[in-house]
Amino acid sequence: MSSDEDSEEWEPPELKAQKRTARAPAAGEKKAAAKRGAKPKEPNVPKEPNASKLTRAPKPSAPCKPRVSFIVSEDYEADEGPSLPLPGLRAKKEEVEDFTFDEPCLKKQKTTGSSSGHPTALPPSEAHALRNELNMNWDLIEVLSILTCVKPWVCVNIIMLLREENTVPFMVRYRKEMINHMDADAVRDVQLVYEELCALAKKTQSVIQTLRKDGVLTAELEQNLRSCRSADELDHVYSPYKKGSKLSKARRAKELGLEGAALALIDTPHTLDLREWVKPGTKGLSSVEEVATGVVHILADMMAKDTETLTFVKTLIFLIVVAQCLVFFCQTLAINRGESLKILTVKVNILDRVKSDFTGWCINNRWRPKTFARDELREIIRNAVEDSYKRLILPFLTRTYRTKLTSAAEKESIAMFVRNLRQRLLVCPVRGSVILGVDPGFRHGCKLAFLSPTGQILHTDVVYLHNSGQQKEAEKLRHLVTKYSCTRVVIGNGTACRETEAFFADLISRRYFHPLDVSYCITNEAGASIYSVSPEAVKEMPDLDPNLRSAVSIGRRVQDPLAELVKIDPKHIGIGTYQHDVSVGALKAALDSVVQECVSFVGVDINICSETLMRHVAGLNVGRARNIAEWREHNGPFFNREQLKLVKGLGPKTYQQCAGFIRINPQTLKSAASSPYPVPSVPEKSAVKKGKGKTCVNIPASFNPLDQTCIHPESYHVAQRFLSFVGGSADQIGTAGLQQCVESKVKTSSVEELARTMDTTLETLKLIIDGLTQPPGFDIRQNFGQADFKRGIVSMRDLQVGAVLTGRVDNTTLFGAFVDIGVGRSGLIHKSNITLDKLPVSQRRRSLALGPGERVEVRVLNVDPQRGRIALDLIRVLQ
């Protein structure tokens, strides 16, 4: 490998950041490798060669770092392992049942077979501008469609919706026809790839301007730059021209004037005489051999930057390497960490057969001379092909491959975080009872927080249950439990958890709290201590000690998990794996998005929700949530959604995005009837925004029953027509009478016919029917599992191999799922024991497999008390 070429081996992001500014991630490269099904125009795509086999290289004799090698082997059959569709090959249709922990998730996106999703026809001029807005040599919509496996018309709609500042929750709920019923994860995937392509185009334009300023930009170079579809490709083309980099061999040869000879060797070799290019006394031109060497370097550079050549070699190399390297998918981030810590070295070894196939294709196809060429000229072409492959293309492919593998691993790790967080946030709340939150401890005692059914702090205290004088502390505890009629105890799973659980279990077994029927549960307290000293906690509980704030947080996590967990940075909740090895920005963006999705789809009661919860509603942010809270404080409760327009900073677009996710609960309004705040009159608001006057609006102060539903205000006129059509009224929302009226109409006429009658879309009418027939206070979380309360304790020594138990999934990883079975240690269901026949049909996909909060029935396979490990087998998922 030449020392003066930019062909360094791939390095993990942590190590590379110490040497140079981090480059943008490859724009959807993993998606391209995994999902591309369209066949690009390219000649002679090779037949699928044998896939690869990964082995570890022998340990070096000298005491140095162990080296992990990815070695391509001949003895691996393509049908023995997973394979990915690649550029130039037609992808096989994947079945929904292809569930396996060994393969990265190929996200299913419903983009076909929808009766109500229709392409949106843009004017030709606007469509042309959209497809070519990035000023690249590829079609934006076509590339986006290929990378995401989403139909082009859906990609067009999503881009237009994003440009109009629509949020993902709003699109998923209220624009289903435009996005063809895609879920939030799929829409976010399209958004991410679109943003990556835009970033690539912006970076390309910056590179072009830099090269033009340096005076080295040529028309050919500009076309090569604008043809790049990933940051790696762009860096590969741009690296020889970077400031501070050594002059490449090809550029030195070009400066000697040998580019004409190189082009003639391909186009008109019968006229080429290398002796005519010899200039005695000039370094690099003093002999025919030096001239031939310069021509080789120029041709090698041309080959390494040729789009068709790169496409061919990528197809060839990734057919061999990618499939079997998927077994390293779950180890990828760990290997990168070991390399960044200088504990491991990693190298990709490729079969020599790949080189021979590539050389043959180049000599006989792409770089074959157009006319007769003498043997010595053909030898120059062969040398150029071999030099290009060894010195330029192979290092580039190695870097690209490892970048793709790392990107795929990061995306799957982030997807695991997203799945776990979503299910943790959507755990069903425990309502209607006083809850005692306990932050257990030894030396500093157990911190107690009694919470009202609405989450208000009734009392806080500290008891020392694990020191001398336990009887006195027990009496104190009984007095407090009886005083506040508390029947639910929530214990954090931190230090002294098991001892505290044993203490409560003993009291309950002796009916110490009689006549109260007390039960307890264990909950994950990850992040509670961090939250207790955060500005949010100080603002909410200024007079409480941080330890007592932790007890409050522990209790509220069971009382209303969503409302409490949104106050904590998602990465501190204790979900997922390898959070320190993935992109901080990408992880934060993904987790923030899923929090917004959960909060929005559940909905918030605008008159009682916290400012922290409110800021996660689609369309709102910190400033707008603060303005709503201040308006509520000065003017009293909101009587209808329209009053949101009176809040400073809430313009028409913000109102459109958030209104459908905000609820006006009539019960809350009744409780606020005795509020000291004056009832707001019919005010007028005139605001100035960006220099333009805002029209005055008159807002009524009466309650609208539709405001308690998921129906968007833009569809109220349709809802009113539908109510009149079925013979009901808005005051009957959620009643059995209205449900019967709606059901009879639906039985008489199909929903599709009713939608045509109402002059609306099918999805809008379905949403209206749901909003009108769901009972008051409907919560989508009621279909999810709730915390398991118990009265007795079980320990590891009570477990027997073969015992069948029920438990709740605590966390999931790429190698299995951890299940809390109530013995103080979570048991592991290895991925090999999570099979299709044990999963519900709706969960037979990697992205919908076991997740936190799900109740499962398991069988004990092995118990290792010394190591504190329990092996479990999944029997079934409890619905």
Side-chain angles (χ1 to χ4, degrees):
M1 185 178 296
S2 173
S3 61
D4 58 358
E5 296 290 331
D6 185 23
S7 55
E8 71 278 3
E9 290 192 6
W10 185 93
E11 295 175 339
E14 298 85 348
L15 191 59
K16 185 175 291 185
Q18 302 172 6
K19 299 183 178 181
R20 63 170 70 98
T21 303
R23 296 194 297 266
E29 282 293 307
K30 179 236 178 181
K31 296 288 182 182
K35 300 182 180 177
R36 221 176 275 179
K39 185 174 182 179
K41 296 180 180 179
E42 61 175 67
N44 302 326
V45 176
K47 295 181 179 179
E48 180 177 346
N50 290 337
S52 63
K53 185 176 182 180
L54 304 183
T55 60
R56 289 187 180 271
K59 187 175 180 180
S61 56
C64 62
K65 298 173 288 185
R67 188 169 88 179
V68 180
S69 295
F70 301 84
I71 303 176
V72 180
S73 174
E74 296 262 12
D75 57 2
Y76 179 81
E77 295 297 330
D79 58 354
E80 290 181 355
S83 62
L84 299 178
L86 297 163
L89 296 179
R90 182 73 60 183
K92 293 183 179 179
K93 183 176 180 182
E94 184 183 9
E95 300 296 331
V96 174
E97 287 76 14
D98 289 343
F99 166 81
T100 170
F101 272 107
D102 289 324
E103 299 182 23
C105 173
L106 302 182
K107 190 186 298 299
K108 305 294 190 304
Q109 300 167 359
K110 184 177 179 182
T111 57
T112 58
S114 171
S115 60
S116 57
H118 303 288
T120 301
L122 291 176
S125 58
E126 186 175 348
H128 178 76
L130 178 61
R131 291 177 180 274
N132 300 279
E133 69 168 1
L134 300 184
N135 195 19
M136 301 291 282
N137 289 346
W138 35 262
D139 188 314
L140 169 63
I141 303 303
E142 179 184 352
V143 172
L144 185 61
S145 176
I146 291 174
L147 295 179
T148 59
C149 274
V150 175
K151 287 191 173 294
W153 69 267
V154 182
C155 293
V156 172
N157 287 348
I158 292 177
I159 292 177
M160 299 304 294
L161 288 169
L162 291 173
R163 286 181 170 183
E164 295 170 1
E165 300 180 353
N166 291 285
T167 61
V168 172
F170 178 81
M171 287 188 274
V172 172
R173 175 168 285 183
Y174 299 112
R175 296 294 184 266
K176 290 184 179 180
E177 297 86 358
M178 294 187 68
I179 63 173
N180 210 10
H181 308 267
M182 291 168 61
D183 60 25
D185 288 336
V187 175
R188 275 193 294 267
D189 184 44
V190 176
Q191 180 184 14
L192 177 62
V193 175
Y194 171 62
E195 291 173 351
E196 289 176 345
L197 292 175
C198 291
L200 173 64
K202 184 177 180 180
K203 183 178 180 181
T204 301
Q205 188 61 35
S206 175
V207 168
I208 290 174
Q209 291 177 355
T210 300
L211 295 178
R212 182 179 289 116
K213 183 178 179 181
D214 295 341
V216 297
L217 182 67
T218 63
E220 181 184 4
L221 177 58
E222 182 174 356
Q223 290 303 309
N224 289 337
L225 290 170
R226 294 192 186 279
S227 298
C228 295
R229 298 193 178 192
S230 72
D232 279 340
E233 290 184 20
L234 179 64
D235 190 68
H236 177 66
V237 177
Y238 172 51
S239 58
Y241 303 92
K242 289 181 180 179
K243 287 184 177 180
S245 62
K246 295 180 180 179
L247 200 62
S248 68
K249 293 180 178 180
R251 289 183 64 186
R252 287 199 295 265
K254 288 180 180 180
E255 289 185 355
L256 292 174
L258 292 177
E259 187 172 11
L263 295 175
L265 179 56
I266 299 299
D267 297 332
T268 58
H270 64 284
T271 65
L272 179 62
D273 186 356
L274 295 182
R275 291 174 296 182
E276 297 177 358
W277 297 83
V278 176
K279 294 182 181 180
T282 302
K283 185 177 181 181
L285 299 176
S286 60
S287 66
V288 174
E289 289 75 14
E290 290 188 354
V291 171
T293 300
V295 171
V296 167
H297 292 159
I298 293 176
L299 287 177
D301 183 71
M302 293 170 59
M303 295 172 185
K305 295 174 182 176
D306 179 65
T307 303
E308 189 174 340
T309 302
L310 288 177
T311 300
F312 176 86
V313 74
K314 282 182 181 179
T315 303
L316 183 65
I317 202 74
F318 284 109
L319 277 173
I320 295 177
V321 178
V322 169
Q324 184 64 7
C325 278
L326 286 175
V327 303
F328 272 82
F329 183 74
C330 303
Q331 304 172 30
T332 299
L333 296 177
I335 291 174
N336 291 349
R337 184 191 297 180
E339 187 178 24
S340 66
L341 296 175
K342 301 186 184 300
I343 298 173
L344 300 174
T345 58
V346 184
K347 186 176 182 180
V348 180
N349 297 326
I350 306 297
L351 274 179
D352 291 338
R353 179 173 56 80
V354 178
K355 176 184 174 182
S356 63
D357 290 348
F358 172 76
T359 302
W361 179 82
C362 288
I363 293 175
N364 299 321
N365 292 274
R366 181 69 179 97
W367 299 97
R368 181 178 181 178
K370 297 180 180 179
T371 62
F372 173 76
R374 300 184 301 277
D375 291 342
E376 62 269 21
L377 297 182
R378 289 184 176 275
E379 186 65 23
I380 291 177
I381 295 177
R382 175 177 291 276
N383 292 338
V385 171
E386 293 181 353
D387 180 57
S388 180
Y389 177 81
K390 179 180 179 180
R391 184 169 54 90
L392 301 174
I393 292 179
L394 193 57
F396 163 68
L397 291 175
T398 299
R399 295 194 302 270
T400 301
Y401 165 68
R402 290 205 61 194
T403 299
K404 282 185 177 183
L405 196 60
T406 297
S407 176
E410 285 189 352
K411 288 182 179 179
E412 184 59 25
S413 180
I414 291 175
M416 184 71 69
F417 270 94
V418 167
R419 292 195 297 270
N420 291 350
L421 178 60
R422 180 185 289 115
Q423 294 196 266
R424 185 69 61 83
L425 294 176
L426 294 180
V427 171
C428 184
V430 176
R431 302 189 186 279
S433 60
V434 175
I435 283 183
L436 167 60
V438 181
D439 183 5
F442 288 116
R443 183 178 178 183
H444 299 288
C446 296
K447 280 68 67 177
L448 310 179
F450 288 86
L451 306 175
S452 72
T454 59
Q456 301 299 315
I457 302 174
L458 301 176
H459 179 75
T460 59
D461 214 322
V462 179
V463 292
Y464 299 87
L465 305 180
H466 312 301
N467 299 331
S468 58
Q470 288 185 346
Q471 183 60 35
K472 180 180 179 181
E473 298 298 289
E475 292 176 357
K476 177 181 179 180
L477 187 61
R478 178 169 59 181
H479 169 74
L480 293 174
V481 168
T482 304
K483 178 181 179 180
Y484 296 105
S485 300
C486 177
T487 57
R488 302 290 180 92
V489 179
V490 180
I491 304 172
N493 66 343
T495 304
C497 168
R498 298 300 296 170
E499 291 76 9
T500 303
E501 179 187 13
F503 187 88
F504 274 94
D506 178 65
L507 296 181
I508 292 172
S509 66
R510 294 192 282 118
R511 304 188 66 185
Y512 193 74
F513 302 109
H514 185 76
L516 297 177
D517 184 15
V518 178
S519 58
Y520 70 91
C521 74
I522 308 296
T523 192
N524 192 324
E525 66 173 35
S529 58
I530 296 176
Y531 164 72
S532 67
V533 294
S534 67
E536 296 291 344
V538 173
K539 180 180 178 180
E540 184 181 3
M541 299 171 279
D543 300 326
L544 282 187
D545 180 87
N547 293 321
L548 295 175
R549 293 177 192 151
S550 295
V552 174
S553 178
I554 289 171
R556 287 176 174 172
R557 289 182 182 208
V558 171
Q559 196 169 45
D560 192 343
L562 180 62
E564 186 63 24
L565 292 178
V566 296
K567 303 174 184 177
I568 303 169
D569 192 332
K571 65 184 179 183
H572 294 146
I573 299 180
I575 54 175
T577 55
Y578 296 109
Q579 71 179 50
H580 300 294
D581 297 294
V582 301
S583 168
V584 176
L587 178 61
K588 185 178 187 306
L591 296 183
D592 288 347
S593 295
V594 78
V595 171
Q596 183 189 65
E597 170 197 333
C598 293
V599 172
S600 299
F601 289 166
V602 170
V604 299
D605 186 339
I606 194 66
N607 289 318
I608 62 173
C609 72
S610 67
E611 182 181 323
T612 304
L613 181 64
M614 202 187 309
R615 68 180 59 157
H616 293 288
V617 175
L620 301 184
N621 54 27
V622 176
R624 292 166 185 162
R626 185 188 308 115
N627 292 342
I628 292 175
E630 290 177 353
W631 193 97
R632 187 174 62 188
E633 181 179 351
H634 290 92
N635 299 279
F638 288 87
F639 283 81
N640 53 60
R641 286 170 171 168
E642 286 286 311
Q643 288 181 314
L644 289 169
K645 297 178 180 179
L646 301 176
V647 179
K648 178 182 177 182
L650 265 69
K653 193 65 186 181
T654 300
Y655 177 78
Q656 179 198 42
Q657 297 301 302
C658 72
F661 307 115
I662 287 177
R663 307 283 187 271
I664 308 294
N665 191 327
Q667 300 299 325
T668 305
L669 288 178
K670 290 180 181 178
S671 63
S674 58
S675 172
Y677 300 113
V679 176
S681 57
V682 182
E684 292 185 352
K685 176 188 177 186
S686 180
V688 179
K689 186 175 182 181
K690 296 184 179 179
K692 295 183 179 180
K694 194 173 184 180
T695 306
C696 296
V697 290
N698 294 326
I699 306 297
S702 57
F703 171 67
N704 185 342
L706 292 174
D707 287 343
Q708 62 183 312
T709 70
C710 60
I711 303 172
H712 196 280
E714 66 183 10
S715 303
Y716 278 3
H717 64 289
V718 180
Q720 293 290 358
R721 286 206 310 269
F722 183 74
L723 282 170
S724 301
F725 182 77
V726 301
S729 65
D731 295 333
Q732 295 178 292
I733 288 177
T735 63
L738 183 59
Q739 291 179 11
Q740 293 177 356
C741 293
V742 173
E743 289 175 359
S744 63
K745 283 293 182 182
V746 171
K747 289 180 180 179
T748 305
S749 303
S750 65
V751 180
E752 291 79 4
E753 293 179 1
L754 290 175
R756 288 192 291 269
T757 303
M758 295 293 104
D759 190 24
T760 187
T761 63
L762 175 62
E763 292 303 326
T764 299
L765 184 59
K766 286 181 178 180
L767 194 64
I768 290 174
I769 292 176
D770 288 341
L772 296 178
T773 57
Q774 287 169 349
F778 174 79
D779 192 331
I780 64 171
R781 293 174 293 175
Q782 68 189 35
N783 296 323
F784 292 79
Q786 197 177 62
D788 292 319
F789 286 85
K790 54 187 179 180
R791 294 171 178 81
I793 186 172
V794 179
S795 63
M796 286 187 65
R797 61 177 177 270
D798 299 321
L799 293 179
Q800 298 292 331
V801 173
V804 176
L805 307 168
T806 60
R808 193 173 296 278
V809 178
D810 184 56
N811 199 3
T812 57
T813 67
L814 294 176
F815 53 81
F818 288 95
V819 179
D820 180 6
I821 55 176
V823 297
R825 289 276 186 176
S826 293
L828 173 65
I829 306 177
H830 192 264
K831 62 181 181 181
S832 60
N833 293 320
I834 305 176
T835 55
L836 286 177
D837 58 306
K838 300 175 184 178
L839 295 173
V841 176
S842 61
Q843 295 181 230
R844 292 181 181 180
R845 281 175 43 193
R846 179 180 179 79
S847 60
L848 294 177
L850 298 180
E854 290 189 283
R855 297 185 67 248
V856 292
E857 188 174 54
V858 296
R859 179 180 291 104
V860 179
L861 297 179
N862 184 44
V863 181
D864 187 348
Q866 292 183 346
R867 302 170 69 187
R869 294 185 178 182
I870 306 169
L872 303 174
D873 179 26
L874 176 65
I875 298 178
R876 63 190 176 104
V877 179
L878 301 176
Q879 299 295 315

